Amino acid sequence: MDRKDAILQHRTSLPIASVEMRLVDEVRKHDTIIIVGETGSGKTTQLPQYLSNAGFCFDGKVIGITQPRRVAAVTVAKRVAEECDVQLGQKVGYAIRFEDVTSRSTRIKYMTDGLLLREALLDPILSRYNIIIVDEAHERTVHTDVLLGLLKKVQDTRLQKQKLDKLDLNNLIQFDNGSQSSNTKLTPLKLIIMSASLDAKGFSEYFGGAKAFHVQGRQHPVDILYTYHPEPDYVDATLIMIFQIHLEEGPGDILAFLTGQEEIESVDRLVHERLKQLPEGSRNVLTVPIYSSLPSEHQMNVFKPTPVSFRKVILATNIAETSVTIPGVKYVIDTGLVKVKNYNPVTGMESLIIVPISKAQSLQRSGRAGREGPGKCFRLYPESEFWKLKDSAVPEIKRCNLSNIVLQLKALGIDNLLEFDFMEKPSREAITNSLQQLYLLGALSDDCKLTDPVGFQMARFPLDPIYSKALILSGEFKCSEEMLIVVAMLSVESIFYSPREKLEEARSAWKRFSSSDGDHQTLVIVFRAAAEYLKKIKAATSKTKAIEKNLNRWCSDNFINNRSLKHALDVHSQIKRHLEQIDMSLSSCGDDMLQFRKCLTASFFLNAAEKQPDGSYRVKATGQNVQIHPSSVLFRSKPDSIIFNELVQTNQSYVRTISRAWSPGLVSYYD
DNA sequence: GAGCACTGC
């Protein structure tokens, strides 16, 4: 059988294939439908093809499918292009940040939900799209939630416009100038919300009682086992369970869900300690940790085949719940816990807390045991506890800073944020605090309208509003080159990589970069050092592989996280291009650090703090008492007046990424 | 002198 036949056979065997005609028919009849598809149903790859074949892409219109994650958008698009036997980027394509693989002929377009939100800024009624499919809606990321609200509104606007167009058409005969409306023929926007089970009702209610369809999945059965009693020490319980499975169950790898890096490292260590107590014949266990901040070359270890006669034990965070699918797993250990970020809109304080998972999440976790054959899931809690879990997790929109979202929606012409039809409304406090912050940044006027040009410019930058403002201000202070680097570096995950066992070595490597002015200037120095090194190797070779290898070497020599650095380089060039487009020229302050400090102080004045007699700091805006985080270059010098970028609550309240503020009263002493 | 779940524009 050749590849084409194999693809055809695969496609027709998928559970969704038997309901193709029915689904197409329902999409014709209704403007919005909900599809509940279990894993393996084929909904993500097949439905767009069915709709395209049924003629929904007439007049060059596009079917858009959104995903919460970049990798998913790319891999699914590649698969569908192959199934359609077309070149990727032609009829089937994808678009994610930094990468647009579409063309004029693209009819099926996979993309991230965040990217579609950005597109809406340029085309608020999304006129290119006939159908938008929102996939993985049950994950309820901020982007998905905002998108759902927006799409609901766009549907309405397009219906209204359509009615007006008809009126215009009638008037055409009278006025003979309907050219503008007649050549942009608008169709209603069809919406398809795709979700995993449990919450179809919520989506259906939100979309005015839209019909929901269930599509069978293709999963192997998974036995669920509970403990009799709650486990007071889940780390220890995990450890015991790993050995119980290893000694009593048949072959197959184990996936254990833990809450964070530290826990994973300690379970890893303990497994190896206890292995020594086992008879030699039972020591055939291989542990593989995986969590997001682990360098990618180490992450790849989970995909290496397990050596013959060995059992692999994967110790994972939530990354293995959705983002990474690991083959070979037959046993899942579920602690029932997850670490989530929390945000206090009143204080602006962020923290990470460990909370019980939802029923949906526990189902997702147990499902990881049944991908290749029947499996078992050991839940480290009693069944009675399972029934007490919430159906689904608190959506992200209720747990995050809303400033960016509020700014986006304002730019889309949605003026009354408190009235906006969110599926789940964020608290009034969270919204009003964001409005106030945007007002203080100059993005909103006294009557709460987006300011022109500052507010509009800020909305266009793919940055936190406070960073967008910093960038705009830096033009006046003649240090936009430096600020561009700072906002790029601040937009990515931590740039410094500190493995516990080599902490001293790392610290001495970073000394080269550190500046007594603060962490911002330090970031500029790191970025410039990396950019200069990159320039040097690019002059020596043009081979992409060699360039990458050298850059990775430089990163590991300097204890810099290579993924973060590459990301910062990408953000930097994207924003730079954007600045060119809006004719903002770049300027450098050179060695004039005072100028840069003035600009930092002016930009981050909302995050200013002053030293107290006891060496702690008082945040000016809220009066909170905080400490300088020990990772800051200013940890020891403790200047009188600082600005900061992050406020985090751990065992104490800390401010992170700090610079000396410029205080005019003290300037003569310092400069 | 501390510790960071996961995404995304």
Side-chain angles (χ1 to χ4, degrees):
Chain A
M1 192 162 59
D2 71 2
R3 184 124 183 100
K4 261 189 193 171
D5 289 331
I7 285 173
L8 189 68
Q9 197 187 38
H10 166 79
R11 288 195 59 197
T12 47
S13 75
L14 284 166
I16 199 174
S18 59
V19 288
E20 171 174 357
M21 290 308 161
R22 169 108 193 274
L23 284 176
V24 168
D25 206 39
E26 293 295 342
V27 176
R28 275 213 186 90
K29 281 196 285 201
H30 305 284
D31 278 351
T32 308
I33 65 166
I34 321 288
I35 295 181
V36 174
E38 293 165 20
T39 14
S41 62
K43 60 184 186 334
T44 309
T45 53
Q46 303 308 300
L47 190 62
Q49 298 186 60
Y50 299 163
L51 296 169
S52 151
N53 293 342
F56 278 101
C57 300
F58 56 85
D59 273 358
K61 289 290 198 307
V62 177
I63 300 173
I65 308 98
T66 70
Q67 296 290 331
R69 279 172 296 280
R70 297 160 48 104
V71 244
V74 178
T75 51
V76 176
K78 280 182 182 161
R79 171 75 201 180
V80 173
E82 194 188 2
E83 287 187 8
C84 294
D85 199 18
V86 295
Q87 208 193 333
L88 189 64
Q90 293 302 305
K91 185 186 158 197
V92 181
Y94 70 87
I96 55 176
R97 187 180 187 181
F98 310 129
E99 238 183 301
D100 185 355
V101 187
T102 63
S103 59
R104 290 178 70 102
S105 48
T106 301
R107 294 293 168 269
I108 297 177
K109 176 175 171 185
Y110 288 88
M111 62 193 126
T112 46
D113 39 22
L115 194 95
L116 185 59
L117 275 178
R118 284 277 154 190
E119 266 188 29
L121 284 181
L122 304 172
D123 176 13
I125 57 165
L126 299 166
S127 50
R128 302 168 53 198
Y129 300 95
N130 241 353
I131 302 182
I132 287 172
I133 304 175
V134 180
D135 202 3
E136 313 283 11
H138 62 279
E139 286 190 27
R140 304 292 304 276
T141 66
V142 212
H143 286 155
T144 304
D145 270 23
V146 176
L147 192 60
L148 290 178
L150 185 70
L151 290 172
K152 204 174 161 181
K153 202 173 146 69
V154 170
Q155 260 187 332
D156 202 48
T157 313
R158 274 166 62 162
L159 277 179
Q160 299 302 328
K161 280 212 183 224
Q162 219 186 355
K163 281 184 197 154
L164 283 176
D165 278 1
K166 274 188 193 144
L167 281 177
D168 272 2
L169 223 62
N170 294 337
N171 293 342
L172 242 175
I173 311 152
Q174 273 175 300
F175 301 113
D176 197 24
N177 87 30
S179 56
Q180 240 191 346
S181 55
S182 58
N183 62 17
T184 55
K185 205 176 143 209
L186 260 183
T187 52
L189 177 67
K190 299 272 185 191
L191 263 187
I192 302 170
I193 313 300
M194 301 210 288
S195 152
S197 41
L198 283 175
D199 49 3
K201 219 176 115 204
F203 290 114
S204 174
E205 275 165 15
Y206 180 60
F207 284 101
K211 272 173 107 173
F213 298 89
H214 191 265
V215 184
Q216 291 267 296
R218 223 172 29 183
Q219 273 275 80
H220 299 277
V222 175
D223 262 350
I224 311 279
L225 296 110
Y226 294 93
T227 58
Y228 288 108
H229 307 287
E231 294 290 342
D233 183 348
Y234 64 90
V235 171
D236 192 54
T238 305
L239 203 61
I240 293 169
M241 191 51 79
I242 288 171
F243 283 101
Q244 192 181 319
I245 296 170
H246 178 56
L247 297 173
E248 293 170 16
E249 301 281 345
D253 295 341
I254 302 172
L255 169 61
F257 284 99
L258 293 152
T259 69
Q261 175 178 353
E262 217 177 82
E263 246 169 59
I264 288 173
E265 282 169 356
S266 85
V267 171
D268 194 5
R269 209 181 50 240
L270 290 168
V271 167
H272 286 102
E273 268 175 29
R274 295 205 189 172
L275 268 179
K276 289 180 202 148
Q277 299 161 14
L278 291 187
E280 223 162 290
S282 305
R283 294 185 197 164
N284 49 345
V285 168
L286 182 79
T287 54
V288 195
I290 183 164
Y291 44 87
S292 85
S293 61
L294 193 72
S296 34
E297 59 268 31
H298 295 296
Q299 282 190 2
M300 288 304 158
N301 286 337
V302 298
F303 298 111
K304 284 186 189 154
T306 316
V308 185
S309 84
F310 263 75
R311 193 196 293 276
K312 186 155 70 180
V313 177
I314 301 132
L315 305 170
T317 58
N318 250 16
I319 194 171
E321 214 177 88
T322 46
S323 308
V324 177
T325 300
I326 304 153
V329 173
K330 196 172 168 67
Y331 306 100
V332 163
I333 299 173
D334 177 15
T335 51
L337 295 168
V338 65
K339 203 181 268 184
V340 291
K341 192 165 179 171
N342 220 299
Y343 177 73
N344 181 338
V346 180
T347 57
M349 188 77 83
E350 290 183 339
S351 56
L352 285 163
I353 48 172
I354 295 174
V355 298
I357 56 172
S358 64
K359 288 199 189 80
Q361 278 178 296
S362 66
L363 233 68
Q364 176 71 26
R365 287 183 177 185
S366 57
R368 293 307 206 182
R371 296 190 64 87
E372 287 162 25
K376 280 188 183 177
C377 173
F378 298 85
R379 293 187 176 155
L380 301 181
Y381 42 95
E383 190 170 0
S384 56
E385 291 297 315
F386 171 80
W387 295 109
K388 285 185 207 157
L389 298 177
K390 282 185 302 218
D391 282 349
S392 37
V394 179
E396 196 187 354
I397 200 160
K398 291 190 146 186
R399 299 184 280 115
C400 70
N401 179 336
L402 296 175
S403 300
N404 210 357
I405 287 148
V406 169
L407 184 63
Q408 295 291 303
L409 289 173
K410 283 271 176 193
L412 286 164
I414 292 152
D415 270 326
N416 193 345
L417 265 300
L418 292 165
E419 293 295 309
F420 185 68
D421 186 11
F422 287 109
M423 192 165 158
E424 259 169 89
K425 263 198 183 120
S427 72
R428 201 187 163 82
E429 235 163 16
I431 297 176
T432 50
N433 272 291
S434 298
L435 287 168
Q436 195 194 358
Q437 195 201 1
L438 291 168
Y439 171 77
L440 292 170
L441 289 175
L444 298 177
S445 58
D446 289 337
D447 55 352
C448 220
K449 292 263 189 310
L450 208 59
T451 52
D452 196 3
V454 171
F456 282 94
Q457 282 178 341
M458 283 171 66
R460 288 290 169 87
F461 285 110
L463 291 170
D464 271 357
I466 199 163
Y467 299 156
S468 305
K469 183 58 192 295
L471 208 46
I472 293 169
L473 264 183
S474 68
E476 288 171 33
F477 285 88
K478 301 269 179 289
C479 58
S480 46
E481 270 187 28
E482 286 77 13
M483 193 58 88
L484 172 57
I485 293 172
V486 166
V487 300
M489 295 287 263
L490 290 176
S491 296
V492 304
E493 326 74 84
S494 172
I495 215 84
F496 299 104
Y497 172 59
S498 41
R500 194 175 315 215
E501 63 283 10
K502 289 186 186 167
L503 216 54
E504 276 312 310
E505 217 180 306
R507 227 171 271 154
S508 70
W510 297 333
K511 264 203 187 118
R512 274 191 288 266
F513 306 121
S514 82
S515 154
S516 59
D517 280 319
D519 300 314
H520 298 86
Q521 179 61 16
T522 303
L523 288 173
V524 173
I525 296 171
V526 172
F527 185 94
R528 285 192 167 145
E532 200 175 310
Y533 179 78
L534 197 60
K535 208 168 131 191
K536 213 171 76 189
I537 45 177
K538 275 184 175 167
T541 175
S542 57
K543 286 185 191 137
T544 328
K545 278 254 167 71
I547 294 171
E548 181 153 336
K549 207 175 150 192
N550 276 292
L551 188 61
N552 287 347
R553 166 84 48 82
W554 185 88
C555 284
S556 74
D557 286 350
N558 291 292
F559 292 89
I560 298 294
N561 182 324
N562 60 11
R563 216 178 333 159
S564 304
L565 179 72
K566 277 175 209 153
H567 194 182
L569 287 163
D570 280 338
V571 175
H572 183 268
S573 67
Q574 186 191 30
I575 309 287
K576 194 172 169 193
R577 244 178 295 130
H578 185 92
L579 288 172
E580 282 159 8
Q581 275 167 15
I582 61 168
D583 286 326
M584 225 180 107
S585 59
L586 285 177
S587 49
S588 168
C589 59
D591 291 329
D592 189 356
M593 284 305 122
L594 179 61
Q595 195 64 9
F596 184 48
R597 246 170 66 199
K598 278 183 186 171
C599 187
L600 285 172
T601 309
S603 302
F604 302 127
F605 68 97
L606 287 174
N607 301 337
E610 278 188 324
K611 190 158 80 173
Q612 302 298 294
D614 67 352
S616 69
Y617 283 78
R618 186 176 171 278
V619 178
K620 283 188 185 169
T622 60
Q624 287 173 90
N625 196 267
V626 295
Q627 304 284 339
I628 291 186
H629 195 274
S631 63
S632 172
V633 295
L634 296 182
F635 177 67
R636 279 173 205 286
S637 54
K638 289 200 195 305
D640 287 333
S641 191
I642 58 169
I643 52 96
F644 59 88
N645 278 111
E646 276 180 293
L647 201 51
V648 290
Q649 172 82 47
T650 53
N651 291 325
Q652 286 194 70
S653 298
Y654 288 109
V655 282
R656 268 195 312 210
T657 320
I658 294 146
S659 278
R660 231 174 254 279
W662 175 69
S663 11
L666 298 171
V667 69
S668 53
Y669 295 102
Y670 287 123
D671 301 282

